[in-house]
Amino acid sequence: MALALRCLRALPSLLHRSSFAVASGLPRAPTGCPAPLLEGCRHCVQQMLLSRQLATKKAKGKGQSQAKVNISAALVQDIISLEETSEDMKAVIEALKEDFSRNLNVRTSPGALDHITVMTKDGKFPLNQLGQISQKSPQLMIVNMTSFPESTAAAAKAIRESGMNLNPEVDGTVIRVPVPKVTREHRESLAKLAKQSTNKSKEALRKVRSKSITQVKKFKNKVSEDTIWLLEKQIQQMADEAAVEMDKLLAAKTKELLG
């Protein structure tokens, strides 16, 4: 009984300092705490804080918007790294931004050809590492393959299959790349490609979410159902916010492409 009272006396001050505790690490249970396997008071405080968030979530009245779940990553770091999940989702968004910027432009510039991947007998290389790219006129780009003449045909093929609506012409070690007129059909084609890229990115996002939720469920027999429920909601919420960001990027790119 005396040992249990010692734990209960420590609990109010721990809760009062919960903000500090999250940042610096919750204190361990007093010596002789009756729940050493659960890390004593440390575990009790964690469960109480999580339960409080759950209660707030469930207490919302009908018709009211639900409060966002916001679990402290420090409290659940032994279950999952929420920071890592967040970074993985941000990486998917950044990859979509890069794809939009590099491959989906109305007007083609020499820089748009830089990272076209060329398959050679020695492996894959960016086009700008194999040839010198320049713009002869607004309607013509030149790729000089003098340094790697054996890769000229492979470079022309990569340009043709880049999805940029380009039809290169080979003249010795020089590749001429006519820049097509910007037609309405071409704009609409690029807009469709933007939609396809966004859908692929959302699929990658779903894989990140599923992987994280699977990780959480591994602990279903070690932590409370409330903790699992809150973590799944938090991960879903993060995925939903990332999907909204992708939709905004798509809307802006579609507007840019269609004019």
Side-chain angles (χ1 to χ4, degrees):
M1 178 65 74
L3 292 176
L5 287 174
R6 289 174 63 189
C7 292
L8 290 174
R9 288 195 197 101
L11 197 52
S13 61
L14 288 176
L15 289 173
H16 179 69
R17 301 195 303 270
S18 60
S19 297
F20 174 78
V22 167
S24 59
L26 292 169
R28 298 283 176 174
T31 304
C33 177
L37 294 178
L38 296 178
E39 294 191 355
C41 298
R42 180 187 183 91
H43 178 80
C44 297
V45 172
Q46 176 176 329
Q47 293 303 312
M48 187 168 290
L49 291 174
L50 289 171
S51 296
R52 180 178 296 179
Q53 294 181 67
L54 178 63
T56 301
K57 180 94 171 164
K58 289 183 176 180
K60 288 291 180 180
K62 188 175 181 181
Q64 291 180 306
S65 60
Q66 289 188 331
K68 286 187 176 181
V69 178
N70 189 19
I71 302 173
S72 169
L75 290 177
V76 295
Q77 60 185 355
D78 292 336
I79 301 174
I80 189 173
S81 172
L82 290 176
E83 294 97 334
E84 184 177 326
T85 298
S86 177
E87 288 302 317
D88 288 345
M89 291 184 179
K90 288 178 181 177
V92 175
I93 295 174
E94 290 304 314
L96 180 63
K97 288 180 181 178
E98 185 175 353
D99 182 42
F100 280 179
S101 175
R102 182 182 296 176
N103 301 320
L104 299 174
N105 293 303
V106 174
R107 299 197 177 279
T108 306
S109 64
L113 304 182
D114 285 351
H115 300 285
I116 289 179
T117 302
V118 181
M119 177 64 76
T120 73
K121 64 179 181 180
D122 296 318
K124 297 179 180 179
F125 296 92
L127 180 60
N128 63 352
Q129 290 185 12
L130 301 175
Q132 294 181 334
I133 306 170
S134 59
Q135 187 145 9
K136 197 76 171 177
S137 71
Q139 286 76 42
L140 180 65
M141 289 187 292
I142 299 294
V143 182
N144 191 327
M145 298 293 295
T146 303
S147 298
F148 296 92
E150 70 280 4
S151 298
T152 302
K157 179 182 178 182
I159 294 170
R160 188 176 297 108
E161 296 176 354
S162 66
M164 299 173 64
N165 194 34
L166 300 174
N167 188 25
E169 303 166 356
V170 178
D171 182 10
T173 58
V174 173
I175 303 174
R176 301 179 185 276
V177 187
V179 179
K181 268 191 166 183
V182 182
T183 63
R184 185 68 185 179
E185 182 181 2
H186 181 51
R187 289 176 179 271
E188 291 175 352
S189 175
L190 290 176
K192 287 180 181 178
L193 288 175
K195 177 66 174 176
Q196 292 173 9
S197 294
T198 303
N199 288 338
K200 288 180 181 178
S201 295
K202 286 185 176 181
E203 179 60 32
L205 179 65
R206 284 191 286 271
K207 288 181 179 179
V208 173
R209 181 202 62 193
S210 296
K211 178 183 176 182
S212 297
I213 289 179
T214 298
Q215 173 65 21
V216 168
K217 286 183 176 178
K218 290 179 181 179
F219 289 81
K220 65 181 180 180
N221 295 325
K222 299 179 182 180
V223 298
S224 70
E225 290 183 6
D226 287 355
T227 302
I228 298 297
W229 185 89
L230 279 167
L231 279 170
E232 288 180 356
K233 287 294 181 183
Q234 174 88 1
I235 293 166
Q236 182 62 55
Q237 180 178 292
M238 293 163 64
D240 289 343
E241 290 173 353
V244 168
E245 179 65 21
M246 289 180 184
D247 287 337
K248 289 180 180 178
L249 291 172
L250 175 61
K253 175 55 71 171
T254 300
K255 183 178 180 180
E256 172 194 323
L257 292 173
L258 297 181

